[in-house]
Amino acid sequence: MKTESFLLKGDLCYSKDSTHLETVANGVLVCLEGRCAGVFPRVPEQYQGLPRYDFSGRLVVPGLVDLHVHAPQYAYRGLGMDMELLDWLNTNAFPEEAKFADLDYAQRAYSLFVEDLRRGATTRAAVFATLHGPATRVLMELLEASGLCAFVGKVNMDRNSPDILREKSAEASARATVEWLEQTAGKYRRVKPILTPRFIPSCSDELMERLAGIQRTFGLPVQSHLSENQGEVEWVRELCPSASCYGDAYASFGLFGGGVPTIMAHCVLSGEEEIAMLRERGVWVAHCPASNTNIASGIAPVRRFLDEGLRVGLGSDVAGGHSTSLFRAMADAIQVSKLRWRLQDQSLKPLTVEEAFWLGTAGGGAFFGPVGSFLPGCELDAVVVDDRRLATTRALTVRERLERVVYLSEDRDVAAKFVQGRQVLPDEKQVYISSQM
């Protein structure tokens, strides 16, 4: 399926920055060779000859970006939420992930996950797989075939894990990672590898040193977890007594921004030094409000992150989070920020709809490049939302309709989806020619 140039008509809504939405009712979005060429009230003369998609009356928004999701945990989303993180991992996550040594199981489980993602509003994701290289390749192949863009990581873990889900040694973990990278090199257009030490407690110092060498050799980005839960943070303090904070434990191995594109999920309990490190090293924070609520970790100070200029996006964190919907994550982010403001720190005002929408589009999209907006030059990821099911007697603006979709849609109303200028939904391409566009 080649990159296309086309016109897309609808009620357009996208972020100019974290606090400003641009809306154009009955407008026209121009795509040239997979990139946005602008949004207009009517078709400019120079683009009259392009194919036309007419989604009049529907909302058209940039594709949503999930900065943190665990594909192998999809099977038990919505289950086992009555524990905190470390018990939850041992009881739920690790036994399920061990099943991915079986490639037939991996094929079935990952197919369900990818199809859910494909039919929803997500167009890009940073994904954790398991420590199994062959199963991780299965996930990458399914995502590539779906038309979505993703970073996928074979997980590394050689300590503090059950026998069923622990690599034999740092050397074995590093060797399996290099083998996975060599077997997938140049194989996919839209799916790329990302280095994925699960978190500091599951990775020995020797393994982290080896992963740092792999990062330098292959030039990979990095994803992991940071300061999610109190028990976890205390554990890292015991394991890494020389580190000044949790983030410093990653930084000591060169795996924490500073020229290495890095996503750290959660950052619920990040203190002064760690927040400064996140900002100075340009690390992306993946805010996962549903997971932080379900596993009783707390509420990240996202308002502070934004005010201090940190890079921030949203993550579904399935299966700590119970839904792959980034619309749901936007609503959750707003709601938990209100609770934090009311109950914990009234100096940090709640997030707005505009800010949450930006986090789920351009904020997280920046990890992938110029992604997540309809500003000229951005890669054309677009989602068409048919919100007519959300009937009302009120006359609503485009912005008000977007707000209702954030709170009420949860991906149920996705009518069409484009990634890098390629249509991935519906399955059969439909081009509507209209002289009135």
Side-chain angles (χ1 to χ4, degrees):
M1 188 165 34
K2 67 178 182 178
T3 300
E4 295 188 61
S5 298
F6 57 84
L7 308 176
L8 197 157
K9 183 180 183 182
D11 296 325
L12 304 165
C13 187
Y14 60 99
S15 297
K16 295 182 70 175
D17 55 42
S18 63
T19 59
H20 295 92
L21 279 176
E22 187 75 12
T23 63
V24 182
N26 203 31
V28 177
L29 171 62
V30 178
C31 175
L32 293 180
E33 296 300 318
R35 292 186 178 269
C36 300
V39 171
F40 306 91
R42 61 190 62 83
V43 182
E45 182 64 31
Q46 66 268 36
Y47 303 129
Q48 287 288 344
L50 293 178
R52 306 174 181 205
Y53 294 85
D54 191 347
F55 293 107
S56 295
R58 281 74 159 179
L59 279 176
V60 181
V61 301
L64 309 190
V65 179
D66 191 339
L67 272 193
H68 185 67
V69 59
H70 292 261
Q73 297 177 11
Y74 179 81
Y76 69 89
R77 69 199 187 285
L79 296 173
M81 297 295 188
D82 296 329
M83 290 168 273
E84 290 194 42
L85 174 65
L86 300 180
D87 288 338
W88 181 86
L89 286 171
N90 286 311
T91 303
N92 296 311
F94 293 161
E96 176 64 26
E97 292 185 24
K99 297 177 183 178
F100 286 76
D102 180 343
L103 283 182
D104 288 337
Y105 186 84
Q107 181 75 37
R108 289 186 288 121
Y110 282 149
S111 293
L112 293 172
F113 167 76
V114 172
E115 182 61 9
D116 186 340
L117 224 59
R118 188 180 77 89
R119 292 196 171 277
T122 299
T123 54
R124 306 200 183 212
V127 187
F128 277 58
T130 65
L131 58 79
H132 310 98
T136 303
R137 294 198 302 272
V138 168
L139 175 58
M140 295 174 80
E141 289 163 4
L142 289 167
L143 283 165
E144 178 72 16
S146 75
L148 305 180
C149 292
F151 285 102
V152 174
K154 175 213 163 297
V155 171
N156 297 99
M157 45 197 300
D158 71 333
R159 69 174 178 179
N160 295 323
S161 309
D163 291 343
I164 57 173
L165 197 72
R166 184 177 65 248
E167 293 169 298
K168 292 182 179 180
S169 65
E171 180 184 2
S173 178
R175 185 170 59 248
T177 300
V178 171
E179 181 178 294
W180 162 65
L181 291 170
E182 291 176 343
Q183 290 174 345
T184 57
K187 192 173 181 181
Y188 312 113
R189 291 186 58 193
R190 293 175 291 276
V191 178
K192 300 177 182 179
I194 184 168
L195 207 60
T196 307
R198 188 180 200 110
F199 65 160
I200 288 292
S202 71
C203 297
S204 66
D205 287 357
E206 181 185 352
L207 176 54
M208 294 296 283
E209 290 171 356
R210 289 178 181 270
L211 292 178
I214 292 172
Q215 192 285 321
R216 291 190 295 270
T217 298
F218 289 87
L220 297 176
V222 174
Q223 63 179 352
S224 195
H225 300 83
L226 182 68
S227 299
E228 178 178 1
N229 178 273
Q230 189 62 52
E232 170 209 18
V233 172
E234 292 172 358
W235 195 10
V236 171
R237 192 175 295 119
E238 294 173 2
L239 291 169
C240 306
S242 63
S244 59
C245 63
Y246 196 160
D248 187 47
Y250 289 106
S252 66
F253 298 104
L255 299 175
F256 197 73
V260 178
T262 303
I263 300 170
M264 286 288 158
H266 306 300
C267 305
V268 172
L269 300 171
S270 295
E272 296 289 337
E273 179 183 358
E274 193 161 272
I275 291 173
M277 289 181 67
L278 289 164
R279 180 182 62 250
E280 292 163 5
R281 291 172 172 268
V283 174
W284 270 264
V285 174
H287 177 41
C288 306
S291 174
N292 298 156
T293 302
N294 288 332
I295 310 178
S297 296
I299 303 171
V302 177
R303 163 62 58 207
R304 180 176 178 185
F305 295 162
L306 292 176
D307 288 349
E308 295 195 17
L310 273 67
R311 295 169 167 175
V312 190
L314 292 179
S316 67
D317 196 24
V318 164
H322 51 276
S323 170
T324 58
S325 171
L326 267 293
F327 285 133
R328 174 62 186 263
M330 292 175 195
D332 289 341
I334 296 167
Q335 291 170 326
V336 299
S337 75
K338 291 177 180 178
L339 290 175
R340 196 181 201 284
W341 167 73
R342 177 60 68 190
L343 301 175
Q344 184 174 347
D345 186 351
Q346 295 196 10
S347 71
L348 299 178
K349 64 181 181 180
L351 298 177
T352 64
V353 169
E354 285 81 359
E355 289 169 321
F357 182 70
W358 179 85
L359 288 172
T361 54
F367 187 78
F368 290 79
V371 171
S373 180
F374 293 151
L375 292 171
C378 288
E379 294 187 26
L380 194 288
D381 290 5
V383 173
V384 179
V385 181
D386 187 348
D387 60 332
R388 292 175 296 181
R389 178 183 62 83
L390 308 177
T392 178
T393 56
R394 300 181 63 171
L396 301 176
T397 65
V398 173
R399 189 265 180 206
E400 289 171 330
R401 288 166 60 198
L402 174 68
E403 182 175 7
R404 296 185 87 224
V405 164
V406 166
Y407 281 102
L408 302 176
S409 174
E410 298 187 14
D411 289 5
R412 285 179 288 173
D413 304 306
V414 174
K417 184 158 73 171
F418 300 79
V419 182
Q420 293 182 320
R422 303 176 180 90
Q423 186 177 1
V424 298
L425 277 177
D427 297 320
E428 297 298 327
K429 186 173 298 187
Q430 299 176 8
V431 179
Y432 300 86
I433 304 298
S434 171
S435 62
Q436 298 180 10
M437 282 183 66

